[in-house]
Amino acid sequence: MAQVDFRYLTDLLTPRHATAVDDPTERNRLAGLVDTDTSEYIAGFISQTGRVLGESMKSGETVLHESDIILDADGGWEPGTPSRMWIVSEGTRREDVFDDAARVFLAHSLLTGAASQFCGWRERVVAIVPEEVGPKESKIIRTLADGGIEVVHTYTVLDAYGTYARWVTDLALEYGSGDEAIASDTPRPPGMARSVVSAWLMREAGEAQLQQARHSLKFGLAGYARVSGEELPIAELARSLYTDRANLTKVIKAAEKDARISGILDAIASGDTDRIMTTLRCA
């Protein structure tokens, strides 16, 4: 399991346009105003362990707040009471409120284990945080060389890992031997550590993407085999992929024997929304 050392991340993941509300009375006052029909949504992130929202309230104040989520037996959830709050400086752009919410959410996800995959070098981190709602949706988040933060929302696990692998590879190349890397002002690891960091990140990107690609391929092929009268027969699919039918059929048979994949496909075939959501969450 990857380890998080917040010596390198605390300052970077602290809101830049908002101040922590430490006074309990003031925190309770603000908590009573947020998340109501009168608040204007600005930013929102949710994971399997909690959520972070940015809202502009009827009072004219803009806040960030972090809370746990409470899961029920049916896989639904309710937000807990805000555990931490920040008041946003007047006149702050919505884009900056979003970025500060992303900083809080990334810190929360790394601390609570909500990030399913992450790696990096000191203040440069790339992470996947699966959502609780839409269980196969994810936020891919990375910190940037200039201290900024970037977030992408994906709707499938394969896309999430594809984005993650690409961003980790980009980071590895920043520490590589290309002309752009050499000319860059990005702080680099010292001495021989530079090549180690670059190679480690390349390996992390490759292994993460390969593992997920294998699983997604098994799932896709098992589902493909269930479709009768498909427009693209197995033989034509094999030819189009530049492989032979026997090899593709072998992989399909292995996929069909996977009990977890069969359970997901059975749930989808049932049309039972609750069963589908519960099965996907447990996958």
Side-chain angles (χ1 to χ4, degrees):
M1 178 66 179
Q3 300 295 310
V4 183
D5 191 332
F6 273 88
R7 290 179 301 175
Y8 306 117
L9 293 173
T10 297
D11 290 343
L12 185 70
L13 298 184
T14 298
R16 298 185 174 186
H17 306 278
T19 303
V21 179
D22 296 322
D23 179 69
T25 301
E26 178 66 1
R27 189 165 58 242
N28 289 336
R29 181 186 74 82
L30 292 172
L33 298 176
V34 301
D35 204 20
T36 70
D37 293 337
T38 60
S39 297
E40 180 187 0
Y41 169 91
I42 297 177
F45 301 89
I46 187 168
S47 72
Q48 297 176 11
T49 63
R51 69 173 189 167
V52 175
L53 292 182
E55 296 183 275
S56 178
M57 301 181 298
K58 190 176 181 180
S59 63
E61 298 159 300
T62 299
V63 298
L64 300 177
H65 57 98
E66 175 187 271
S67 65
D68 296 331
I69 61 174
I70 302 168
L71 301 176
D72 60 35
D74 297 324
W77 64 275
E78 292 290 339
T81 302
S83 54
R84 293 198 298 167
M85 301 196 71
W86 296 259
I87 188 79
V88 178
S89 302
E90 186 176 354
T92 299
R93 301 183 309 160
R94 295 175 70 92
E95 296 89 339
D96 293 330
V97 176
F98 181 93
D99 286 351
D100 272 356
R103 290 184 175 95
V104 174
F105 181 69
L106 178 55
H108 176 275
S109 300
L110 293 173
L111 281 169
T112 63
S116 62
Q117 195 90 23
F118 63 91
C119 68
W121 167 254
R122 293 188 172 173
E123 71 278 2
R124 303 296 301 281
V125 172
V126 184
I128 298 176
V129 185
E131 290 197 348
E132 176 56 32
V133 287
K136 296 308 174 186
E137 296 181 37
S138 300
K139 288 291 192 296
I140 321 305
I141 310 175
R142 66 174 169 180
T143 57
L144 304 173
D146 62 1
I149 193 163
E150 184 174 0
V151 182
V152 167
H153 184 94
T154 59
Y155 293 89
T156 70
V157 179
L158 189 59
D159 284 346
Y161 274 80
T163 301
Y164 174 80
R166 184 171 70 253
W167 281 2
V168 174
T169 298
D170 288 346
L171 182 57
L173 292 174
E174 286 190 44
Y175 303 129
S177 60
D179 289 340
E180 290 186 3
I182 293 172
S184 172
D185 293 330
T186 301
R188 299 181 182 180
M192 288 296 294
R194 178 178 162 190
S195 61
V196 172
V197 171
S198 183
W200 181 275
L201 293 175
M202 283 287 192
R203 189 194 70 166
E204 289 287 303
E207 288 186 348
Q209 189 168 29
L210 179 59
Q211 181 179 2
Q212 186 54 51
R214 283 175 169 162
H215 176 75
S216 294
L217 178 61
K218 287 177 67 177
F219 182 83
L221 288 175
Y224 194 89
R226 289 193 179 201
V227 179
S228 59
E230 64 270 14
E231 295 181 0
L232 194 65
I234 297 295
E236 179 58 25
L237 179 63
R239 283 193 293 270
S240 299
L241 288 171
Y242 301 102
T243 187
D244 61 90
R245 179 174 180 173
N247 182 50
L248 187 60
T249 300
K250 179 180 178 181
V251 179
I252 290 174
K253 289 186 179 300
E256 290 178 312
K257 293 179 181 178
D258 189 306
R260 184 173 59 172
I261 290 175
S262 294
I264 295 172
L265 293 174
D266 289 342
I268 294 172
S270 73
D272 184 332
T273 302
D274 290 339
R275 179 182 173 187
I276 292 170
M277 296 296 284
T278 299
T279 304
L280 287 175
R281 282 193 178 95
C282 296

